[in-house]
Every structure is written in structure tokens, then in C-alpha cells.
Amino acid sequence: MGRYDGIEELEPGLDGAGLRIGIVVGRFNADIGDGLLSSCTAALIKHGVAKSDMLIATVPGALEIPLALKTMAQSGRFDALVALGAVIRGETYHFEVVSNESARGIGEVQLATGVPVANGILTTEDDDQAEVRMAQKGLDCALAAIEMARLLPRLGR
Ligand code: INI
């Protein structure tokens, strides 16, 4: 029995066993990327994703992430993807361009390909804010990737 009598509600599934997950990391703020990546992979492993079912690709910065994701999505090899990186206002005069374009591109990849993409591109005022947020964001993205990979096959039947 669900919360609503007589109405089926799909529960979030967080079993990562057997899921193939691709991760793209921007190297522009490398320390933040490493922090995001370590918490993300630790959470994926904790939830049952095999190391041999993960592939990590690094790219120069957030603007290169959507194309790498799209190529992975189109390969058919992945159940879900994760984008990790940091756009820090203190370091760029075109903060808005980089953050907006990467977010737009990431959203476009998942809608165009049907492969879910968890967006872990931090957008912050400075390094300190990014450091504070990176562990939680990496974890959140791991869970979002697993949950969406489990949910999509159950929708639209
Ligand atoms: N890329 C980032 O990932 N984060 C940033 O903060 C950033 N800044 O500050 O400019 C950034 N720029 C590089 C960009 O993503 C591309 O790699 C570059 O423009 C080459 O295409």
C-alpha cells in the first residue's frame, strides 16, 4: 500500500548493482574536481556500482563537458552519466557564460539522448564555497544518477 490509497507510486530505487555509470570531470579547478570525484565514486561503490562498470573522463573545463557527455550517452554503454566541475566567479569575468552554457548543454544532452545526467557543476563565488560544497555535491550526484537510471525504465509503460 502506498501513501495514496489505490494509486501506484514508484519508490526511488538506489541499488546501483549492474549499472554502468560514466563520469566527466572538468580539470579547470582540479582540486575541487578531485573532491567531487572522490565523494561521487565512493557513494557509487557504496550503493553497489562495480568499479569495472564506471568510466571516468577528464576534460579541460566545464564548457567541454556537454560534448563528452553526449558522446558517452550516444555510445549506448551507460545507464547514467555524471558531470563534475566547478565554475568560480572569483576567477573569471565570463562566469555567467561558462556556468549557463555548461548547465544548458548538460540539460540538453539528457533530453536529446534519454540518458540521465546528474549535474555536479558547482557554481560559486570563491574557492572556499566550492570546497565546502564538493563532498555533498559528489554524493548527491551519485544518488541522482542511480535513482534516475532505475526510474526511467519504469516510466512510460
Ligand atoms: N572552466 C571551468 O570549468 N571553470 C571555470 O571557472 C572556468 N573559468 O573560470 O573560466 C572555466 N573556463 C574554461 C572553459 O570551461 C573552457 O575549458 C575554455 O573556455 C576552453 O573551451
Side-chain angles (χ1 to χ4, degrees):
M1 179 82 68
R3 288 186 298 167
Y4 301 97
D5 190 18
I7 303 176
E8 181 184 9
E9 180 177 357
L10 301 175
E11 296 292 334
L14 287 174
D15 178 10
L19 294 180
R20 300 157 304 163
I21 308 287
I23 305 171
V24 180
V25 194
R27 293 190 305 270
F28 194 88
N29 294 290
D31 292 346
I32 306 299
D34 285 346
L36 288 160
L37 189 55
S38 66
S39 67
C40 181
T41 53
L44 290 170
I45 291 165
K46 185 177 170 195
H47 286 268
V49 179
K51 288 182 181 177
S52 56
D53 283 333
M54 294 184 214
L55 179 65
I56 298 167
T58 73
V59 295
L63 289 179
E64 283 72 37
I65 289 175
L67 181 57
L69 290 170
K70 186 176 181 184
T71 307
M72 289 171 119
Q74 289 175 332
S75 74
R77 287 184 53 201
F78 301 97
D79 299 297
L81 301 171
V82 180
L84 300 175
V87 187
I88 298 176
R89 188 189 293 276
E91 294 172 12
T92 178
Y93 289 107
H94 57 295
F95 172 85
E96 268 78 18
V97 174
V98 178
S99 52
N100 292 341
E101 274 305 294
S102 68
R104 188 191 57 75
I106 290 166
E108 204 173 292
V109 168
Q110 64 172 353
L111 292 179
T113 63
V115 178
V117 184
N119 183 346
I121 309 294
L122 288 169
T123 55
T124 65
E125 293 296 325
D126 52 40
D127 286 337
D128 289 349
Q129 280 184 356
E131 273 172 33
V132 167
R133 295 177 192 171
M134 63 189 183
Q136 186 65 46
K137 180 61 91 175
L139 166 67
D140 290 346
C141 285
L143 299 185
I146 292 171
E147 182 178 335
M148 291 303 290
R150 290 293 179 215
L151 177 66
L152 294 188
R154 305 179 69 199
L155 299 176
R157 286 182 298 174

